[in-house]
Amino acid sequence: MFNLFDKKNLTERDICTKYITPAIVETAGWNRDTQIREELSLTKGKVLVHGKLHSRGKQKRADYVLYHKTNIPLAVVEAKDNTHTLHSGIQQAIEYAELLDVPFAYSSNGDGFIEHDRTKGAERELSLIQFPTPEELWRRYCQHKGITDTEEKRIYAQDYYPSLENKTPRYYQLTAVNRTIEAIAKGHKRVLLVMATGTGKTFTSFQIIWRLWKSGTKKRILFLADRNILVDQTRTNDFKPFGSAMTKIQNRNADKSYEIYLALYQAITGSLEAQKIYKQFSREFFDLIVVDECHRGSAEEDSAWREILEYFSNATQIGMTATPKETRYVSNIDYFGDPVFTYSLKQGIEDGFLAPYKVVRIDIDKDLTGWRPEKGKQDKYGKEIPDRIYNQSDYDQELVLERRNELVARKITEFLKATNRFDKTIVFCEDIPHAERMRSLLVTLNSDLVSQNSKYVMQITGDNPEGKAELDNFILPESRYPVIVTTSKLLSTGVDVQTCKLIVLDKRIESMTEFKQIIGRGTRINEAYDKFSFTIMDFRKATELFADPTFDGEPVQIYEPKGDDPVVPPDDPTEPPEGGDQPIEIDLQVGPVRKGQRRTKYYVHDVPVDVVAERVQYYGKDGKLITESLNDYTRKAVNQNFASLNDFLRKWTSADRKQAIVEELENEGILLEALAQEVGKDFDPFDLIAHVAFGQKPLTRRERAENVKKRNYFVKYGEKARAVLEALLDKYADEGLTNLEDPKVLKVQPFNKYGTPVEIIQAFGGKEQYFQAVKDLEQQLYRVA
């Protein structure tokens, strides 16, 4: 037995081992192997961008998650050591319970439990022997969900697919699957799921289908997509476990011997009755239809999708999209109903499952002021240009300013040369001819790499078979070529380019749906290929859509270079424009035109264009554009965390790791990197904050290091230890605080000349004495004179 004094000295892990786990397992009867997961990571930790480097924010990790079965979480238990009260972990437990969509949250310090029942908003205290049994929580869970009859429970309890690679659904994917299964078990015939691009919609679809198929609830299923590559990716990747039960409908062949069907909707519809392959199936043939990327028109009354959905109207239909469409032309919600679950781009970035991004916004003078030809001016082919003012909406549609195209291509090339010339890049152009011109210009500007491999730059558009043949290679992370791809619409949706690091917008985008889809081409993270963030280079003010309240993600920075400033910061029919009155069609030669009209395109080669001076803008932690000065924004953010300069100094000087405070400030949305660009690169975070927030005169890192040396502080150390500390000071002056606190620095120059890290540490008398010496050195660095 442990007395109270001993219990207070136990660690949190000891409290779990000796008190909490026995109460849950031995007393309440939970199966540790099948019903309990301990220290379960729910999120990855937000990616924090530091110039060309990155780090991860803090993960959200639940101490215990309790399950009815592996696919049905019921409760979260948050543990604290016994110096905390019973209630100390309850708010954290509630937060994790909300993430997991479970109704019960518990907090414990080893003395008992606090139970928070989210279904009633009620809390109660339980002793260690009163923790609920699995049967009790399952009964209360079903009561909360309204799952009453045996058949509903059987459908709901069907396991997900146990991947050989041990790939289990992420917390939000599990919630999406469970809510969909729940809705279908209760008889809902139309279900809408909204999940941001890159968050695994297809994997989620597979798990939904698998559970319904395995439970026998749905025996024949149709999965519809509008791009052949989407169907093929789905068949060979996420849907592979269906094996011989699965087929792809192609070659106008409706084989009725399979259970899982994948189809390109264009392949089973047509303008002629004989081309409508789907009608070879009876109306009752399919039990379930899943529509991928349903924003692409499935809910539009006159669309080919709708034709199929109406024919199989008795089937349960699930719409999957990253961008539900609500316009005067089409409504996903009107057809499918309100989403049963939504996982936004913003949430994906916060959780660390999606890549954050910066924006390089480049405004061109002729875009802002327009251009008017002098009377009688002819284009390069001798056609007289109509006398009017041309602006951004005309460029590359009716009027081609060739020097403008050259400027865009040059800025793209400058960016890649300053970062990495093999970062995969998508350049979105107004139309196919614009994509052709841009490809040619980029080839010329990158001739050194094109001479090594002609596929370094390629055009991938709907009319270009050579380019489309390289689409798989562009998508594959392990394939180096193509690197730069020019396109118009073909790559705007559904194409999974995991390693895309640069998205260039040189087309007007007025549809929020299209904008979100294009941004989604870069949001995937691929750690194996060092893809943690990406950049959007905007030449058409498209990123002004960030200010739209319907946009749910935020860039970490918007940079608008001035004049000659460095550019790197310190195919198929178009859809009707939202709010437009007339349908628009595509003409491969002249771009979008009004029906019944045909535009003449003019090519002008002798009009100079320049980048105009604009201000730098940033986005804050809340996703809103910072319209005030960066200094004012920082001052307000710091004052929310520190009441006064003394408060800041006290926390800074008492911290065991100064870098931990830096990371905390960045997590709170303070843009230290941007602040350094504005105030001075040679100041460390302490001086930046003290100067901007509290008006203190800043010292450079070099000045702080020299002040320490002048105090003759090192005299108390031996010769070798003194040399190491002086080298650490120099390292701090050159590179900042991070290297000072990281013992790995002892492995590199100039420290390796003093011996191995172990030998260096021994010069201080041991590990504890070394770390104390570093801490004392920091105290000297930030000592108030």
Side-chain angles (χ1 to χ4, degrees), residues 563-619:
D564 295 327
D565 284 354
V567 72
V568 179
D571 3 275
D572 51 271
T574 60
E575 60 198 20
E578 298 186 15
D581 293 319
Q582 293 179 267
I584 289 180
E585 61 185 17
I586 197 80
D587 185 302
L588 295 185
Q589 297 304 311
V590 299
V593 297
R594 294 290 175 187
K595 277 191 173 181
Q597 296 180 352
R598 185 176 182 86
R599 286 183 179 176
T600 299
K601 188 173 288 188
Y602 302 94
Y603 293 81
V604 181
H605 65 284
D606 57 354
V607 174
V609 296
D610 292 294
V611 173
V612 297
E614 291 289 339
R615 63 194 176 97
V616 177
Q617 293 179 308
Y618 304 90
Y619 276 75

Side-chain angles (χ1 to χ4, degrees), residues 743-755:
K744 292 179 182 178
V745 74
L746 299 179
K747 295 181 180 181
V748 302
Q749 289 283 3
F751 301 99
N752 49 18
K753 71 181 180 183
Y754 301 117

